[in-house]
Amino acid sequence: MILTALHHIPIRANDWCCTEIKLRDAQTIALKFSSASGPSWLEISVFTGPPSRRAFRRLERCAVSYRGQLADRSPRAVEAVRRLVNGVVEGFDRALAPDRTLAALLEAPPARGPLRFDRDAIVELLSPWLELGQEVVSGWRWVDAFPAAVRGRAGADAPAELLLEFDRAQGDARLLASVGMDASASARAFARTHNFAINFSRQTDPPVGAAYLITATIAALLERRDSDALELRLEPPPDAEVIAERSSASQDELVPLSTVQRGTRWLKIGLNSECGQSCSFCTLKEYMPPEADSDALFARLRHNLEDGRRRGIRFVRVNGYDPLGYERIVELLAHARGLGFERAELHSPCWRMADRAFAARVVDASPPRCTFFVPIYGASAEIHEAVVGRPGAFAELQQAVTNLVELAGADAVRLHTVITRQNLASTPALVQWAAGLGLTLGAHLPYPIFSARSGNYERVTPRESEVAGAVLELAAAGRRFHVLGLKPCVLWRHRASRAVPVDMWLNPLAVHSLPGVAYRPDDDARDAERDAERTHAFALPTTPCPHRASCALATTCPGESLQAYVELHGHDELSPVSFTELAERLGGLTPWTRELGD
């Protein structure tokens, strides 16, 4: 078994790390090791066969030889090499059964013919490498597989799912992964093969990295066994009562990665009142001047709120240039509260909330669960005011944040920023500043009004690889920071990413989309009165990623780029990540997965 052998072999030892495993022939496996601190390398060959072959050491079932180059030939370094070579051959000797060759450790032909989709099928498909009760990685072992739910007649058309359960010998941590039979299901999946859709649990314990690694391992293994020659069949489970009892305790814990639901509908109210700022990345007011207050406007807004409630919508999102600049905003929010809206979001530059009395009126009038989204572009007056173009704005914003926290609570305040060339270098300081206030900070890349050549988009938009450097700098300091629009493969390829744990900068559970596309017609309930011209400013064209069908990070990625960004910077920063690379970086099957294929 590949994983059985792996757990006996020192893939990493002191300064040495195995970078490649190759099957030379049916009787020889070569392992290449490199030194993390210098040019030293080793190639360790483990082989079976006639005793006439020259060997450094012979054991019961195999022997070993090695060659290489050592920059350090001190007695301590030579002893470390000797221990490594002995560890490798001893591991293979324990893993080899008397009737198996070294080549058999790496063999697993694709499955063929009809196969009933059940627990035994998954066990059989994974059995060339992984067995029940066996440790997969980092102390996690596979303990069981069982149906996610009992399929009665009412659910006969629903995709079948099996849950794979993993636990740790130390502690009570538990992890669930799912393997669905219907790979063509509409829901997104962590990975797909010809017949299967693979997802993982959304539990907060264990860590995301473990969930990601285990599911990547399962996906890589199933990818090798699955093919168009495999025909899956679904039959009723043999013991429905037992399965129902088991699945009732586990089904609530399994939340597929794809569950970013569109069932929660928001009524969007756009208020394009004057914002009082001239942000370097925004030229929207040049295309659509601010809207003047009028009785007709208020009547239309009231009508939209009332119509939304009649349609059963309970959440309202108020945005625009600056909703707080609308002279009847308090009255409008009070009307929404009176209609029974349960939750609200208010997006505004928020500098007007520096007036404590005004801030109190807004907070009191808003629906019960109101979140205030406050933009900030730097941790100092110099940087923030250079972006917004208004002297004194930073001090006002600081006071506004203080007022909101005291009146509505810290949980009701969300800071966010736009990463531009102007403030990119100061982004880590801004994240630290927000953390010092106990507030979260969201971020996104700029987006244009119409095209890459319109407005200031071309001047202010950094390359994603430049933004990746700031994200990884924060990750190295222990702070996770998600930037909407930044592709995970760009982070992955950045040279700094290898020095930082993957789960510090890659969050598969976050919402992954592009900035500027939130107003697509199929997203949410929309302001029924908004005309086509105003809608067009937010309906930005996108270009599909050329690698989205072949990348292991596809479900942590929008799968597309703004067309304006591609016009400006191209697609050259994007490159697919294979399941092999994913497992390697996460410290799992590597380097065995080189033999599993990409």
Side-chain angles (χ1 to χ4, degrees), residues 462-485:
R463 292 180 66 88
E464 290 186 34
S465 53
E466 297 170 340
V467 180
V471 171
L472 293 167
E473 177 184 338
L474 286 161
R479 292 206 177 275
R480 294 178 174 89
F481 183 54
H482 178 66
V483 178
L484 196 68

Side-chain angles (χ1 to χ4, degrees), residues 391-462:
F394 186 70
E396 285 181 332
L397 192 64
Q398 284 182 302
Q399 185 59 54
V401 170
T402 298
N403 289 340
L404 283 170
V405 170
E406 292 176 355
L407 293 168
D411 290 343
V413 181
R414 297 285 187 274
L415 301 179
H416 66 94
T417 192
V418 178
I419 308 285
T420 68
R421 289 175 176 169
Q422 201 170 9
N423 67 355
L424 174 59
S426 65
T427 297
L430 179 58
V431 174
Q432 300 287 358
W433 181 86
L437 297 176
L439 300 175
T440 60
L441 176 71
H444 65 78
L445 297 175
Y447 57 88
I449 305 307
F450 296 109
S451 72
R453 309 303 173 189
S454 65
N456 295 331
Y457 182 78
E458 183 176 12
R459 181 175 62 83
V460 303
T461 302

Side-chain angles (χ1 to χ4, degrees), residues 122-464:
I122 290 298
V123 171
E124 178 184 338
L125 289 171
L126 296 177
S127 63
W129 308 282
L130 184 62
E131 295 179 333
L132 285 169
Q134 180 183 332
E135 181 180 341
V136 182
V137 65
S138 302
W140 288 94
R141 59 175 187 150
W142 183 24
V143 296
D144 205 355
F146 49 89
V150 178
R151 291 165 49 83
R153 292 182 181 178
D157 295 330
E161 274 191 327
L162 290 169
L163 299 184
L164 277 61
E165 181 180 4
F166 302 83
D167 68 8
R168 299 193 73 166
Q170 298 179 348
D172 298 325
R174 179 169 173 261
L175 187 148
L176 294 171
S178 74
V179 177
M181 173 179 166
D182 188 358
S184 63
S186 59
R188 293 171 64 194
F190 170 83
R192 292 190 188 282
T193 66
H194 183 76
N195 284 291
F196 300 112
I198 302 101
N199 272 310
F200 60 86
S201 165
R202 208 172 189 172
Q203 299 176 76
T204 55
D205 178 37
V208 167
Y212 213 2
L213 171 56
I214 289 174
T215 314
T217 299
I218 299 302
L221 299 182
L222 285 177
E223 190 174 44
R224 288 298 295 167
R225 299 303 315 277
D226 198 8
S227 71
D228 56 5
L230 177 62
E231 179 188 353
L232 291 179
R233 296 178 179 177
L234 184 66
E235 297 181 16
D239 191 349
E241 292 184 3
V242 173
I243 295 174
E245 181 180 355
R246 181 66 180 276
S247 63
S248 64
S250 59
Q251 181 67 13
D252 290 342
E253 300 176 25
L254 182 73
V255 183
L257 180 64
S258 58
T259 54
V260 179
Q261 299 291 347
R262 291 187 174 180
T264 301
R265 294 175 64 81
W266 290 77
L267 180 70
K268 296 175 181 176
I269 299 293
L271 282 169
N272 291 337
S273 301
E274 174 58 53
C275 66
Q277 299 187 155
S278 300
C279 294
S280 62
F281 55 84
C282 178
T283 55
L284 189 58
K285 288 188 289 185
E286 296 177 14
Y287 293 91
M288 295 184 292
E291 192 170 10
D293 297 340
S294 66
D295 290 339
L297 172 61
F298 186 69
R300 174 165 60 86
L301 296 172
R302 283 177 57 99
H303 168 77
N304 290 342
L305 287 170
E306 292 161 3
D307 180 66
R309 285 299 293 127
R310 279 194 296 270
R311 289 185 285 136
I313 300 173
R314 298 176 291 117
F315 303 156
V316 60
R317 179 176 294 130
V318 184
N319 55 14
Y321 300 165
D322 187 0
L324 294 179
Y326 178 52
E327 65 178 14
R328 302 180 72 173
I329 185 60
V330 174
E331 186 178 354
L332 186 70
L333 291 171
H335 188 56
R337 185 184 183 108
L339 288 171
F341 280 94
E342 300 170 9
R343 182 178 171 187
E345 289 183 356
L346 197 149
H347 298 253
S348 163
C350 278
W351 59 268
R352 290 180 169 90
M353 299 294 251
D355 181 337
R356 176 80 175 206
F358 175 70
R361 293 198 299 274
V362 170
V363 171
D364 291 343
S366 299
R369 297 162 55 203
C370 186
T371 304
F372 297 87
F373 288 81
V374 184
I376 183 166
Y377 306 108
S380 67
E382 177 186 5
I383 298 171
H384 178 77
E385 291 170 13
V387 174
V388 302
R390 192 169 62 83
F394 186 70
E396 285 181 332
L397 192 64
Q398 284 182 302
Q399 185 59 54
V401 170
T402 298
N403 289 340
L404 283 170
V405 170
E406 292 176 355
L407 293 168
D411 290 343
V413 181
R414 297 285 187 274
L415 301 179
H416 66 94
T417 192
V418 178
I419 308 285
T420 68
R421 289 175 176 169
Q422 201 170 9
N423 67 355
L424 174 59
S426 65
T427 297
L430 179 58
V431 174
Q432 300 287 358
W433 181 86
L437 297 176
L439 300 175
T440 60
L441 176 71
H444 65 78
L445 297 175
Y447 57 88
I449 305 307
F450 296 109
S451 72
R453 309 303 173 189
S454 65
N456 295 331
Y457 182 78
E458 183 176 12
R459 181 175 62 83
V460 303
T461 302
R463 292 180 66 88
E464 290 186 34

Side-chain angles (χ1 to χ4, degrees), residues 488-542:
C489 67
V490 178
L491 283 160
W492 185 275
R493 300 299 181 198
H494 196 284
R495 63 182 181 278
S497 69
R498 291 189 173 273
V500 184
V502 171
D503 62 351
M504 286 299 299
W505 51 265
L506 180 65
N507 183 3
L509 306 183
V511 175
H512 303 278
S513 63
L514 293 176
V517 299
Y519 290 81
R520 286 172 171 166
D522 60 346
D523 259 4
D524 297 294
R526 297 184 39 200
D527 183 341
E529 299 294 325
R530 184 167 290 171
D531 57 52
E533 289 184 4
R534 299 198 176 205
T535 300
H536 182 267
F538 298 98
L540 297 175
T542 61

Side-chain angles (χ1 to χ4, degrees), residues 9-20 31-44 66-74 76-85 88 591:
I9 296 170
I11 298 301
R12 291 179 176 85
N14 298 322
D15 192 42
W16 294 99
C17 179
C18 186
T19 57
E20 189 175 2
L31 299 86
K32 190 169 183 178
F33 287 80
S34 61
S35 171
S37 61
S40 300
W41 60 271
L42 286 172
E43 185 178 88
I44 302 174
Y66 72 95
R67 65 190 184 94
Q69 176 179 312
L70 300 182
D72 180 4
R73 293 183 174 272
S74 66
R76 182 177 180 180
V78 172
E79 175 61 19
V81 169
R82 187 188 66 80
R83 288 198 302 268
L84 178 60
V85 173
V88 168

